[in-house]
Amino acid sequence: DVVMTQSPLSLPVTLGQPASISCRSSQSLVHIDGKTYLSWFQQRPGQSPRRLIYKVSNRDSGVPDRFSGSGSGTDFTLQISRVEAEDVGVYYCMQGTHWQVTFGQGTKLEIK
Amino acid sequence: EVQLLESEGGLVQPGGSLRLSCAASGFTFSSYAMSWVRQAPGKGLEWVSGVSGGGGTTYYADSVRGRFTISRDNSKNTLYLQMNRLRVEDTAIYYCAKDSLSGRTAEVDYWGQGTLVTVSS
């Protein structure tokens, strides 16, 4: 199985400051179809996960533009340009390129 | 609007069985792969099982293969998960999830509200 390793696992951030979460895979996530199936999800306390980013850098409809995704191969990053109070929660990366689908351990973002 | 509504979970004894269902609406159900993803209390997300849009191809995590069976009824827009020989470690919130592709799980885009399954004596 492809192992997804996120860092940090805990991320205290001051309101208005940027935040960055790293996600590294144990194998390249480039599929034979040429696409990279790396997604990012946000899970607010007590809620279901919500997808923010798909195929590395495509933002879902309704997701604020302060969220952005980047990376390639085995190294990916979710960035929040200015953290707001509503961003508190746990963030997960997920790969769908290789079978079985696997998630990162999660990064808990809190306000400092 | 995409809606995924899981059936109520419940308390089951170790070794017992339970069937979950997920009623889907707001999209052409048969055109998309569907999955079950679970989350143990206080833990992260674990993909459990997936099925292609037509229902002909199924996929399982190693942890549940041989015990769980995923299926779908496209005429009823409903996804199922039959869970047999349940173990304490299967205790989790189970989420129904829609994919953006037809053939397999690769890009989950919508999640249900989740249903709690507790396996305990």
Side-chain angles (χ1 to χ4, degrees):
Chain A
D1 296 354
V2 175
V3 177
M4 304 296 287
T5 304
Q6 288 183 226
S7 63
L9 300 184
S10 177
L11 183 56
V13 184
T14 300
L15 286 173
Q17 293 300 301
S20 179
I21 301 171
S22 170
C23 175
R24 291 192 167 132
S25 57
S26 59
Q27 300 178 38
S28 171
L29 297 187
V30 180
H31 192 265
I32 54 174
D33 64 9
K35 298 172 186 174
T36 301
Y37 295 96
L38 186 284
S39 303
W40 288 96
F41 298 89
Q42 175 195 60
Q43 187 175 32
R44 291 170 171 154
Q47 295 187 13
S48 303
R50 165 202 183 195
R51 195 177 71 177
L52 302 173
I53 302 285
Y54 62 98
K55 288 191 187 73
V56 181
S57 60
N58 295 276
R59 200 164 41 241
D60 273 279
S61 174
V63 174
D65 61 8
R66 64 179 181 275
F67 289 92
S68 63
S70 63
S72 63
T74 61
D75 204 344
F76 305 92
T77 302
L78 175 70
Q79 293 187 307
I80 308 173
S81 58
R82 296 172 306 280
V83 169
E84 297 189 6
E86 65 178 18
D87 299 336
V88 166
V90 182
Y91 292 79
Y92 297 92
C93 59
M94 182 197 99
Q95 71 81 21
T97 294
H98 300 282
W99 209 250
Q100 303 169 26
V101 169
T102 46
F103 291 90
Q105 318 97 300
T107 295
K108 186 173 185 178
L109 185 149
E110 61 180 25
I111 303 301
K112 202 185 293 182
Chain B
E1 179 193 3
V2 172
Q3 291 195 5
L4 302 169
L5 187 61
E6 296 98 339
S7 59
E8 199 169 320
L11 174 63
V12 184
Q13 290 192 336
S17 298
L18 188 66
R19 187 174 89 152
L20 302 180
S21 63
C22 170
S25 61
F27 63 101
T28 304
F29 184 66
S30 60
S31 294
Y32 298 97
M34 297 291 294
S35 289
W36 290 96
V37 179
R38 68 185 180 184
Q39 187 170 36
K43 302 296 184 182
L45 301 170
E46 179 191 16
W47 175 84
V48 171
S49 183
V51 60
S52 60
T57 306
T58 56
Y59 309 87
Y60 298 94
D62 292 341
S63 57
V64 306
R65 186 175 291 113
R67 300 187 299 122
F68 290 12
T69 302
I70 191 171
S71 62
R72 63 192 297 162
D73 185 338
N74 286 345
S75 69
K76 295 181 178 178
N77 289 354
T78 303
L79 176 72
Y80 303 98
L81 185 68
Q82 177 67 45
M83 303 184 291
N84 298 329
R85 292 169 18 223
L86 281 160
R87 304 169 179 167
V88 171
E89 55 264 35
D90 294 319
T91 295
I93 295 172
Y94 284 74
Y95 294 101
C96 167
K98 171 191 170 293
D99 207 87
S100 60
L101 302 184
S102 173
R104 64 184 186 90
T105 301
E107 285 188 326
V108 170
D109 54 6
Y110 289 96
W111 300 69
Q113 85 287 353
T115 188
L116 178 62
V117 174
T118 303
V119 184
S120 174
S121 55

